[in-house]
Amino acid sequence: MSDLRELYQEVILDHSKRPRNKGSVEGSNRSAEGYNPLCGDQVTIQLIVDDENTVTDAAFDGVGCAISTASASLMTEALKGKTVEDVHRLFRAFHCLVKGDELPPDSPALEKLEVFAGVAEFPMRVKCASLSWHTMQAAIDEKTDAVTTE
Ligand code: ZN
């Protein structure tokens, strides 16, 4: 096992055991719920999107496996301070990363989110890693139906 992979697993473990931004956002103006029936992961995403279309706060709540929890934790950290447009670009890049596809040429730096590169080897886990992202997208787009990965 490479050092890089060990480091990645450490970050995922850390965020699954001590998730950041878990709970609710006071005064949130966007929210959505997501469910991954394959694994049983459930997530609620709450955001504040300001008048300038910037995500100023983000939090998640729910129950799920280590990958889904770590993904929601790292995602909420990554969103804060980004414009909705940047968030969409980040999601596209992240989705390619977890599926093992080549990243689009205009991709922003994934930084800490790179730890999910190994998920591409486990197709069942791709939905765990992307659930919170799909749910966040639904929240931003103000979709009212619950998100399901099926
Ligand atoms: Zn899962």
Side-chain angles (χ1 to χ4, degrees):
M1 189 179 281
S2 72
D3 289 349
L4 190 61
R5 183 175 286 194
E6 270 178 33
L7 173 73
Y8 283 0
Q9 289 191 339
E10 245 171 62
V11 173
I12 289 174
L13 208 62
D14 175 42
H15 277 264
S16 68
K17 284 186 173 161
R18 297 188 305 119
R20 322 304 197 259
N21 307 310
K22 190 151 194 275
S24 54
V25 174
E26 212 180 303
S28 71
N29 58 6
R30 298 283 197 288
S31 70
E33 289 174 24
Y35 180 48
N36 173 16
L38 265 185
C39 180
D41 308 314
Q42 291 178 32
V43 71
T44 302
I45 302 289
Q46 291 191 338
L47 308 167
I48 296 178
V49 179
D50 74 6
D51 297 341
E52 250 113 72
N53 246 4
T54 299
V55 178
T56 57
D57 206 355
F60 80 99
D61 211 345
V63 288
C65 66
I67 297 278
S68 72
T69 303
S71 176
S73 173
L74 282 150
M75 179 192 78
T76 49
E77 278 195 330
L79 296 182
K80 290 186 195 181
K82 288 202 167 60
T83 63
V84 166
E85 196 182 319
D86 285 344
V87 166
H88 286 319
R89 285 171 54 225
L90 195 63
F91 181 25
R92 274 201 297 275
F94 180 81
H95 208 234
C96 289
L97 177 84
V98 296
K99 288 198 305 176
D101 295 343
E102 203 171 310
L103 266 52
D106 66 339
S107 292
L110 284 164
E111 298 176 0
K112 273 202 223 167
L113 299 170
E114 296 265 5
V115 299
F116 292 100
V119 168
E121 291 169 45
F122 307 96
M124 291 276 290
R125 292 290 177 207
V126 172
K127 288 179 176 175
C128 300
S130 54
L131 174 67
S132 58
W133 288 84
H134 285 295
T135 308
M136 173 276 294
Q137 179 107 37
I140 284 185
D141 295 344
E142 300 186 76
K143 299 233 169 80
T144 48
D145 293 341
V147 176
T148 169
T149 54
E150 288 306 288

